[in-house]
Amino acid sequence: PGPSRSARAVRRSLSMMAARLMVATNLTCSPSSRPLMPVPSALQPTALLIPPLSTVAPAGWMQEQLLIEANGLAGYLSTSSFPGADRVNSSLWTNRSSHPIDSITQWLPYWTNGIVPLVGLLESAGATGRIHSGVGAQIDEAMSYVLAHTNKTNGWIGPYTNEPGDTNGHGLWDPLNMLRSLLQYSQYRVSLERLIAAACIAHLIAEARMIATDPIIKWAATRWPTYVEIAFYVVDNLIPKYATDA
């Protein structure tokens, strides 16, 4: 059977969001406003498929390198006193911020976007017993907090300090690395995939609505491929299974 009406509606909304981003950031238009490339009305088949983290088990040299990272500064960043570590371990994302830069909320998602797949790969390889930093438990705690504290009114994930009316581009950009983190987390915490799908779809729809009146500006406008990548991943992998629930 084909996708449900609900699935088609959500898919259409996210596909339109991706197209709107490409046009709104002037990255598909020439100065004369003529498209340099056509904006497709439907997604084309994916050329390359990235295997889920749970299906990849690094061994040998690669596993050793991942363990070095997990047991080094990357693995201790959420508990370290190393200069700059407070950007991660005192983040508004986990309600622990006492830092004067707490209006900038991108740092913890940057960290999770790297450490989540690292832990997932080591878990798939059966090597978590060799992680001494405790970073796996810290990731579980952080992801659980983020999922438990989504905005129940508008679907937004994470701090809402820069929106609406952001003047530097952070507000619409900062949550995207957290979406990436959650989506990768769902690849090896499969029991949470449904919850993560609902949270990510709700956030992307909230962003799609906001972009209409609160455009992406300055440096954040160059990050449009990240929006498109996430929207397409959700359209391809989550909406067919969970759009009705989300």
Side-chain angles (χ1 to χ4, degrees), residues 134-152:
V135 70
Q138 294 157 24
I139 287 298
D140 288 338
E141 180 183 352
M143 297 296 100
S144 295
Y145 186 93
V146 169
L147 288 170
H149 292 82
T150 59
N151 189 309
K152 302 304 185 291

Side-chain angles (χ1 to χ4, degrees), residues 7-237:
R8 290 195 299 270
V10 177
R11 180 180 298 164
R12 188 181 309 113
S13 174
L14 295 186
S15 298
M16 288 177 63
M17 171 195 178
R20 185 184 300 158
L21 279 164
M22 288 187 279
V23 173
T25 54
N26 293 319
L27 290 171
T28 61
C29 295
S30 68
S32 62
S33 297
R34 291 180 299 177
L36 296 176
M37 63 183 76
V39 177
S41 58
L43 298 186
Q44 299 301 307
T46 303
L48 299 173
L49 296 177
I50 301 175
L53 292 171
S54 60
T55 66
V56 180
W61 177 87
M62 178 58 71
Q63 184 181 122
E64 293 304 315
Q65 296 306 303
L66 294 175
L67 284 165
I68 289 171
E69 288 190 58
N71 290 319
L73 179 58
Y76 286 96
L77 203 57
S78 64
T79 57
S80 174
S81 59
F82 188 83
D86 55 353
R87 270 70 166 177
V88 169
N89 60 40
S90 297
S91 175
L92 279 175
W93 280 93
T94 51
N95 198 34
R96 292 186 291 185
S97 181
S98 58
H99 198 278
I101 66 160
D102 60 10
S103 62
I104 300 176
T105 55
Q106 62 182 314
W107 308 119
L108 184 133
Y110 270 120
W111 176 71
T112 58
N113 190 35
I115 205 71
V116 165
L118 187 152
V119 170
L121 289 170
L122 289 173
E123 187 165 307
S124 179
T128 53
R130 298 179 62 195
I131 299 177
H132 309 304
S133 62
V135 70
Q138 294 157 24
I139 287 298
D140 288 338
E141 180 183 352
M143 297 296 100
S144 295
Y145 186 93
V146 169
L147 288 170
H149 292 82
T150 59
N151 189 309
K152 302 304 185 291
T153 301
N154 62 12
W156 197 263
I157 283 180
Y160 202 58
T161 57
N162 295 296
E163 292 296 347
D166 176 47
T167 59
N168 195 38
H170 279 289
L172 288 166
W173 162 254
D174 289 353
L176 292 185
N177 277 320
M178 185 56 72
L179 291 188
R180 279 176 159 176
S181 302
L182 287 167
L183 292 171
Q184 292 178 99
Y185 189 64
S186 72
Q187 294 175 9
Y188 65 95
R189 288 287 183 271
V190 180
S191 63
L192 295 175
E193 187 181 56
R194 182 186 298 271
L195 179 62
I196 290 171
C200 289
I201 291 171
H203 180 86
L204 287 171
I205 290 174
E207 287 217 7
R209 290 170 177 157
M210 187 175 292
I211 288 169
T213 57
D214 199 10
I216 304 166
I217 60 173
K218 297 184 179 179
W219 58 271
T222 67
R223 310 298 178 89
W224 68 268
T226 304
Y227 289 80
V228 175
E229 171 203 354
I230 293 171
F232 283 7
Y233 179 91
V234 169
V235 167
D236 286 339
N237 296 283

